[in-house]
Amino acid sequence: MENQPEIVQKALGFAQQGWEIALKWLTSPAAWSQFAILVVAFLIALVATRKITPIVTRILTPAEDQENIIARARRFALMFLPLLLPLLAYALTGLGEQITRSVFGSGAVIAFGKRVFMFLAARILVRDIIKDGFLRLLGRYILIPIAALYALGLLDLASLHLTETRVGVGNISFSVMSLIRGLIAGSLLFWLGRWSNDQSAAYIGKQEELRPATRELAMKAAEISIFGVAFLLLMNILGINLSTLAVLGGAIGVGLGFGLQKIASNFISGVILLLEGQATVGDYVELDGGEAGTIVKMTARAAILESFDGRWIVVPNEDFITTRVVNYSDSGSANRYEAPFSVSYNTDINAVPAIIEAAVAKHPDVLDEPYPPDCELRGFGDSGIDFAVEFWVNGIDDGANKYTSDVLFLVWNALRDNGIEIPYPHRVVEFKGTPPQV
C-alpha cells in the first residue's frame, strides 16, 4: 500500500474507516435501535405522504382558465410536491435523533440517515422538478455530488482539501474552492440575470402606451442594468477589488478605440436610434444600399430586416445614421401609389378621370384622406393617350397587399364597361419601289 499513489492511499484509508464504522454499527444495540427509528420514520412518512398528497393536490390545483398571480403561485408550489416524502422523513428522523441521543448518548446512525434523506431530496429535485436545462445540468454535476459527499460525511474534508489546494496565474493565486464557488455563483447569477431580463422584457413589451422605440430602449437599459449588477455581485463574491480592474478597463478602452471602432459605433448608433425613434420595430424601411424590408428586431449591433420574399437582412446600426433611409411607416402608415394606363386616341379623354376616380374609390383600402383618388393625364404616346391614377392606402404595396394590381383590375373593368378601348401598338410600314409579291 505504501507504493501506491497518494490519492489511492487516501481512498483506501477512507474505505478502511468506513468498514470499521459499519462493523461497529452492526455490533451495537444503539445503532440497531437507530436503524429501527429510521425505518419507522420512513414508513410513517410514506403513509402520511400517500394520505396528504391528494389533499394538497386538490387544494393547490387552480382552474385551467386561471392565469392570475395566485394561480401561477399555486402551480409553482404544486411542482415541489414530490419532495414531501424525503422532507417529511427527514423531519421525523430529526425527532427520533433527539430521543436516541437522550437515551443512548449517540446518534451517528440516525444522523447518517438524515443526510441520506437530504440526498434523496436533492436527487428528486434535479430529476423530477427542475425543468430548465441549464439548472438541471448544474444540479446533476454540482448539487448531487455535493449532497453525496454530505451524506457520506466527507463534505467538510473535501472542502478543506479544495481550500488548501491553490492554483496560480502569474502573480495571482486562487484556491480551487474559490474558483468552484465563483463558477457556481457566476452560473446562478447569470442564469438569474437571463431569467430576470426575459421577465422584464415581457413586461415592458406589454406596455402598449409606450412608443415601440421607447420600449426597445427600456428593454436594453434593463438588460444592461441586470447583467451589470450580476457582474458586480460576482466580483464581490470572488473577493476581487474592482480597483484592480482599472488597468484592464484601460486596455479594453484602448481596444475599443482602435480595434473595435465599428462595434462601438454600431452600439452608439443603436442607442441613438432608440432615443430618436425614427426607425423602430415594425417599420418598413429602404436604405441607399438597396436593402428594404420590415424591421423585425433591433439588437445592440444591428437591425434585422425581413423582406417580402422571406429573407432576413442584417443591417449595421451605423448605416441608419450615416446613410439616407426612407421610412414608409414613420409619421403614419399612409402611402401614395399610382397605376399607369393608356386609352385610344378615339376616346373622349375629358370623361376618363371621373370614370376612373369613381371606380378606384370603391376599393375598400383606398383612402379619402389625405387625398382621394386622382386621375391625371400624363402625355400622348405613340399608340395611345397615357393616364395614371394616384391613390393613398395604409401599408406597403407588396407582400400580402397588392394594391396596384387591384386598382388596375378596377381600371380595366371601368374602361370596358364604358366602351373605352385600351390601345395596342400600331406600326405603319412604307415600301419604296415595287412591293413584295405575296
Side-chain angles (χ1 to χ4, degrees):
M1 182 174 176
E2 294 179 355
N3 297 327
Q4 299 294 330
E6 183 180 357
I7 187 171
V8 176
Q9 295 180 17
K10 288 185 177 181
L12 293 175
F14 288 140
Q16 181 67 27
Q17 293 178 9
W19 175 251
E20 292 175 356
I21 292 173
L23 289 178
K24 183 178 180 181
W25 285 355
L26 290 174
T27 57
S28 171
W32 280 103
S33 63
Q34 293 176 54
F35 277 122
I37 291 174
L38 285 174
V39 173
V40 171
F42 178 78
L43 293 176
I44 294 175
L46 183 62
V47 173
T49 300
R50 292 180 176 177
K51 298 290 186 182
I52 296 173
T53 297
I55 300 173
V56 175
T57 302
R58 187 171 60 253
I59 294 173
L60 292 180
T61 303
E64 293 183 359
D65 57 346
Q66 290 185 359
E67 293 296 337
N68 53 52
I69 188 171
I70 297 178
R72 291 197 294 268
R74 290 166 66 183
R75 291 191 183 96
F76 181 75
L78 196 61
M79 292 170 50
F80 293 90
L81 197 58
L83 291 177
L84 183 61
L85 174 60
L87 294 182
L88 188 57
Y90 179 86
L92 294 174
T93 304
L95 296 176
E97 183 182 11
Q98 300 296 326
I99 298 174
T100 56
R101 289 190 182 278
S102 61
V103 174
F104 299 103
S106 173
V109 176
I110 206 166
F112 172 74
K114 284 175 60 179
R115 296 195 298 270
V116 170
F117 288 139
M118 288 302 296
F119 171 77
L120 294 176
R123 186 169 179 271
I124 292 173
L125 178 67
V126 174
R127 185 190 62 189
D128 300 331
I129 298 175
I130 296 177
K131 303 301 181 184
D132 184 84
F134 180 73
L135 289 182
R136 178 172 287 186
L137 186 68
L138 287 180
R140 185 178 301 166
Y141 295 105
I142 294 179
L143 179 61
I144 289 182
I146 290 176
L149 290 174
Y150 174 72
L152 296 174
L154 301 176
L155 183 60
D156 292 338
L157 185 62
S159 177
L160 178 61
H161 180 71
L162 293 174
T163 302
E164 292 176 348
T165 304
R166 305 187 69 83
V167 293
V169 179
N171 296 327
I172 304 175
S173 64
F174 296 95
S175 66
V176 176
M177 188 64 185
S178 64
L179 292 176
I180 295 175
R181 189 186 298 117
L183 178 63
I184 297 173
S187 301
L188 292 176
L189 280 174
F190 282 94
W191 177 88
L192 184 61
R194 187 194 65 181
W195 179 83
S196 302
N197 182 56
D198 292 341
Q199 297 299 315
S200 62
Y203 176 77
I204 295 171
K206 294 178 182 178
Q207 309 306 310
E208 298 293 339
E209 65 275 8
L210 299 177
R211 295 181 70 249
T214 305
R215 291 200 297 266
E216 289 290 330
L217 183 61
M219 291 178 189
K220 295 299 179 186
E223 181 179 4
I224 293 172
S225 301
I226 289 170
F227 285 102
V229 171
F231 176 76
L232 293 177
L233 288 175
L234 179 60
M235 293 298 101
N236 189 33
I237 292 173
L238 292 176
I240 298 176
N241 189 354
L242 294 179
S243 62
T244 60
L245 300 178
V247 176
L248 180 61
I252 294 176
V254 173
L256 287 174
F258 289 97
L260 304 177
Q261 293 182 41
K262 285 293 183 182
I263 295 177
S265 175
N266 285 319
F267 178 79
I268 296 172
S269 298
V271 174
I272 294 173
L273 283 174
L274 293 174
L275 286 173
E276 293 183 349
Q278 294 182 0
T280 186
V281 174
D283 288 355
Y284 184 87
V285 297
E286 182 178 352
L287 283 76
D288 266 353
E291 302 89 351
T294 302
I295 301 177
V296 295
K297 186 177 181 181
M298 296 186 72
T299 65
R301 187 189 66 84
I304 299 176
L305 311 183
E306 183 178 10
S307 61
F308 285 118
D309 56 4
R311 295 188 178 118
W312 278 30
I313 306 170
V314 180
V315 181
N317 291 328
E318 185 183 12
D319 290 356
F320 285 88
I321 303 297
T322 59
T323 62
R324 186 178 67 91
V325 179
V326 180
N327 191 337
Y328 291 91
S329 305
D330 197 23
S331 299
S333 56
N335 296 293
R336 191 192 71 175
Y337 296 97
E338 65 176 41
F341 64 97
S342 299
V343 298
S344 171
Y345 274 101
N346 297 325
T347 305
D348 180 9
I349 63 174
N350 296 297
V352 171
I355 295 172
I356 298 301
E357 289 170 2
V360 174
K362 295 178 182 178
H363 193 287
D365 293 327
V366 173
L367 305 175
D368 292 330
E369 297 291 339
Y371 300 102
D374 181 24
C375 183
E376 299 178 350
L377 176 63
R378 292 295 173 88
F380 302 99
D382 295 336
S383 302
I385 302 173
D386 298 330
F387 283 87
V389 58
E390 297 177 348
F391 58 94
W392 288 77
V393 291
N394 278 322
I396 306 301
D397 184 24
D398 205 342
N401 304 315
K402 303 294 184 183
Y403 299 119
T404 301
S405 175
D406 295 343
V407 168
L408 287 174
F409 272 107
L410 294 173
V411 169
W412 169 271
N413 293 329
L415 294 178
R416 184 192 59 186
D417 293 342
N418 287 274
I420 299 174
E421 180 184 353
I422 296 178
Y424 53 87
H426 290 78
R427 296 291 181 267
V428 177
V429 181
E430 295 183 358
F431 293 97
K432 292 184 178 181
T434 304
Q437 298 295 324
V438 177

